[in-house]
Amino acid sequence: MSTSNNSIKQDRILVLDYGSQYSQLIARRVREAGVFCEMYPYDIDAQRIHDFGAKGVILSGGPESVYAENSPKINDAVFDINVPVLGICYGMQAMADRFGGKIEASSHQEFGAATIEKTAQDSFFKGIEDEPNKLHVWMSHGDKVVELPAGFEVTAITPSCPIAAMANESKHYYGVQFHPEVTHTLQGEALISRFVHQICGCANAWTPDNIVEMRVAQLKQQIGDEQVLLGLSGGVDSSVVAALLHKAIGEQLTCVFVDNGLLRLHEGDQVMQIFAENMGVKVIRVDAEERFLTALAGVSDPEAKRKIIGKTFIDVFADTARELSGEGKGIQFLAQGTIYPDVIESAKSHQGKAHVIKSHHNVGGLPDDLQFKLIEPLRDLFKDEVRKLGVTLGLPEKMIYRHPFPGPGLGVRILGEVKKEYADILRQADAIFMQELEKSGWYEKTAQAFAVFQPVKSVGVVGDGRRYAWVIALRAVETIDFMTARFAHLPYDLIETVSNRIMNEIKEVSRVTYDISSKPPATIEWE
């Protein structure tokens, strides 16, 4: 299939977000089914809905009550474009309300696992079940549909929810009170696939190979014979951008790797080895440890540290870019690793009903004398898609699938003031923790794990002598979406092995603790 003309995006699904914590999961599940989709706030205007060219629309859940004053409604354009529509949770209730049904607060709210019983074999449910006529699903609702709109039939029930799903087969409108997008709904993947493929008629074209082919063609056309500069952090996003651009334009790409002294053990050397030595990418390594540590001296507040690290990175990067320009490189483009969740979270609802979660700037805030045109080749991809692209492009799986590492690096895993002594100790402790997790098979079982330097000293005993040294905390969590997380129940003997190694191999440490906090109320990172 030729992908240079965006053909793999021609079959597309529109996801309208009503504020659910699971909305991004819906879009990810559609992409995983091999179909391109985009997510927008529910209140985008009718023209944008028409222009999008969707083969189907999915309405997300949300925290509002349909019967409340000024509650979010469905734009009529959703139904004017004559494509199948799937309403999930609030989306189902809003659809029922739109066509004359009735919604009320439920006397028995459902939050968690539930079993629905199918009452009809409609196009959406037919042949999909966990046991005869039953599906194990995830519910999260306080309201429910109590009267069907005209033209719809009940397709599933639970003891407390007599309309757990509904369908208008002639219009191809479907509503489910449960959440097929979460992993707790065992047949959720099959249901999403049924909707986008059989009901909406979308092909299975959105695959890593096709995405790479399409993006390489786009980059060649966009860049031509100009030069591109990329800030390479060694993280997944910038690494995949580097590999993608190198495949597209080769020697026209120059990467700047800023070693801020806050990286993991040997990380700088590993980045250089992978890209410069193995892949032939042009990488300029800037040793800026002293500059970062000087800027951070005396600063303890976590947010202040983040801002200093971000500003210093921009300053170092800008200085290097000026040097390259002075050498006559004539760099026209700046590449960034912006990904789709960054775009979604930074976008405000057009009517102001949704809140900005956070703004993402990556290498933003560059001085005015650096007038680059921006390239963001991952802007429409989720993190899991970026990882699959990385593997397709030949990057080591160990690099692509390693645990998340914060942008400020060890700067926010050293509590309080950041010093070189602390960073060196933490690097060693973290490396020991990772080695033992990998050796025991627990690295893959945890979503994120790391060590934290605590700027307090504790008394220890080494041989017959007294040791008064620093404390290291270990953190490991299990999570699917990083919105909630449970501390990993690591075996005691594994924790003991890690603790003993850290205290025996790092003389500056006298005590090791294990963080058993879950999120919420704690956060995953300590700062």
Side-chain angles (χ1 to χ4, degrees):
M1 175 189 297
S2 173
T3 55
S4 58
N5 61 357
N6 268 358
S7 62
I8 65 172
K9 287 186 173 184
Q10 286 179 354
D11 287 354
R12 48 174 52 201
I13 299 293
L14 174 62
V15 179
L16 293 179
D17 177 24
Y18 285 83
S20 169
Q21 61 178 319
Y22 303 132
S23 293
Q24 285 193 33
L25 284 179
I26 299 172
R28 284 173 56 195
R29 296 295 175 255
V30 173
R31 300 275 189 95
E32 287 168 3
V35 178
F36 178 73
C37 72
E38 288 186 353
M39 188 173 89
Y40 293 98
Y42 72 91
D43 52 7
I44 63 170
D45 60 54
Q47 192 59 52
R48 293 181 73 193
I49 294 174
H50 280 279
D51 292 345
F52 184 77
K55 283 200 166 184
V57 178
I58 300 179
L59 312 172
S60 83
E64 306 287 341
S65 292
V66 170
Y67 47 78
E69 188 176 0
N70 297 321
S71 62
K73 305 299 182 185
I74 305 173
N75 192 313
D76 285 344
V78 168
F79 304 106
D80 293 341
I81 59 177
N82 295 317
V83 297
V85 179
L86 171 62
I88 296 173
C89 198
Y90 183 91
M92 168 182 166
Q93 296 166 11
M95 190 191 304
D97 178 70
R98 165 67 174 72
F99 291 108
K102 185 177 181 182
I103 295 85
E104 292 180 351
S106 178
S107 59
H108 181 81
Q109 298 179 338
E110 289 184 299
F111 296 98
T115 299
I116 65 167
E117 182 179 348
K118 296 191 293 182
T119 58
Q121 293 291 343
D122 66 330
S123 299
F124 184 68
F125 280 130
K126 188 175 181 180
I128 300 176
E129 54 194 24
D130 293 308
E131 51 186 285
N133 285 325
K134 292 184 178 179
L135 286 164
H136 302 302
V137 303
W138 187 260
M139 290 281 197
S140 181
H141 67 102
D143 297 337
K144 63 184 178 183
V145 179
V146 293
E147 289 182 14
L148 278 177
F152 284 77
E153 67 171 330
V154 178
T155 54
I157 62 173
T158 73
S160 61
C161 188
I163 308 177
M166 65 181 194
N168 181 327
E169 283 279 37
S170 64
K171 296 284 190 181
H172 300 297
Y173 297 158
Y174 305 90
V176 293
Q177 189 57 68
F178 61 90
H179 289 271
E181 69 273 25
V182 302
T183 54
H184 301 82
T185 297
L186 301 186
Q187 297 294 331
E189 183 180 337
L191 291 170
I192 295 290
S193 180
R194 168 66 56 80
F195 180 72
V196 300
H197 290 304
Q198 280 75 42
I199 295 175
C200 297
C202 295
N204 185 30
W206 189 253
T207 65
D209 286 337
N210 285 348
I211 296 170
V212 168
E213 183 186 342
M214 174 188 72
R215 201 54 31 99
V216 165
Q218 290 171 337
L219 289 169
K220 286 179 177 178
Q221 183 176 16
Q222 181 181 6
I223 297 165
D225 58 1
E226 301 288 355
Q227 297 287 316
V228 178
L229 188 65
L230 167 66
L232 180 61
S233 69
V236 174
D237 301 335
S238 69
S239 296
V240 173
V241 171
L244 193 58
L245 281 167
H246 183 65
K247 183 177 178 67
I249 60 171
E251 289 293 312
Q252 295 166 238
L253 171 67
T254 300
C255 296
V256 175
F257 173 55
V258 177
D259 189 340
N260 58 12
L262 302 172
L263 302 173
R264 290 167 283 200
L265 191 66
H266 306 312
E267 188 163 18
D269 295 337
Q270 291 166 359
V271 170
M272 294 301 293
Q273 183 179 31
I274 289 171
F275 287 96
E277 297 174 24
N278 294 343
M279 297 182 66
V281 179
K282 279 194 296 185
V283 184
I284 297 172
R285 182 173 183 173
V286 182
D287 184 0
E289 178 182 55
E290 187 174 343
R291 188 166 173 178
F292 277 85
L293 292 177
T294 299
L296 288 165
V299 180
S300 298
D301 179 72
E303 189 58 27
K305 289 194 295 185
R306 287 178 183 273
K307 289 179 179 177
I308 289 170
I309 292 169
K311 181 182 183 303
T312 305
F313 178 83
I314 289 170
D315 291 344
V316 173
F317 185 84
D319 289 347
T320 307
R322 288 191 192 97
E323 289 174 14
L324 291 171
S325 297
E327 294 171 5
K329 297 288 185 184
I331 297 170
Q332 298 293 316
F333 290 95
L334 171 68
Q336 292 193 159
T338 307
I339 62 174
Y340 196 40
D342 301 345
V343 177
I344 294 171
E345 291 173 0
S346 295
K348 290 184 179 180
S349 166
H350 291 265
Q351 294 180 10
K353 302 255 182 181
H355 298 284
V356 176
I357 299 170
K358 55 184 174 180
S359 295
H360 298 263
H361 302 290
N362 288 294
V363 192
L366 286 173
D368 291 337
D369 64 326
L370 294 173
Q371 296 289 338
F372 292 120
K373 290 177 275 188
L374 195 59
I375 293 175
E376 296 174 314
L378 308 180
R379 187 179 173 84
D380 57 358
L381 300 178
F382 286 103
K383 192 77 163 189
D384 49 338
E385 294 176 302
V386 173
R387 288 195 168 103
K388 290 173 184 174
L389 247 63
V391 173
T392 300
L393 288 162
L395 291 174
E397 288 204 29
K398 187 174 181 180
M399 167 188 259
I400 293 299
Y401 285 99
R402 68 181 176 180
H403 291 176
F405 189 59
L410 300 183
V412 290
R413 291 179 179 175
I414 297 169
L415 304 190
E417 185 180 5
V418 177
K419 297 181 179 180
K420 178 173 172 52
E421 172 199 353
Y422 301 165
D424 289 340
I425 292 169
L426 181 55
R427 259 188 283 274
Q428 295 177 66
D430 189 76
I432 290 170
F433 191 20
M434 295 308 106
Q435 289 164 13
E436 294 300 329
L437 284 173
E438 289 175 355
K439 189 186 301 182
S440 64
W442 271 89
Y443 187 87
E444 292 76 16
K445 297 177 186 176
T446 54
Q448 190 169 2
F450 52 90
V452 180
F453 180 89
Q454 301 189 65
V456 293
K457 286 190 172 182
S458 173
V459 174
V461 178
V462 180
D464 295 324
R466 175 180 182 271
R467 177 189 286 179
Y468 189 53
W470 302 110
V471 178
I472 290 289
L474 304 177
R475 178 73 158 146
V477 298
E478 299 167 349
T479 180
I480 294 173
D481 54 18
F482 289 89
M483 291 186 234
T484 62
R486 185 184 83 157
F487 75 90
H489 292 202
L490 300 180
Y492 286 149
D493 58 351
L494 172 57
I495 298 173
E496 182 180 26
T497 298
V498 175
S499 175
N500 287 339
R501 278 197 61 191
I502 289 174
M503 289 186 290
N504 287 329
E505 297 176 29
I506 309 173
K507 60 182 176 56
E508 297 87 356
V509 177
S510 66
R511 193 173 298 272
V512 175
T513 66
Y514 186 56
D515 182 353
I516 59 169
S517 310
S518 292
K519 176 187 179 180
T523 54
I524 294 176
E525 295 284 350
W526 278 46
E527 285 195 342

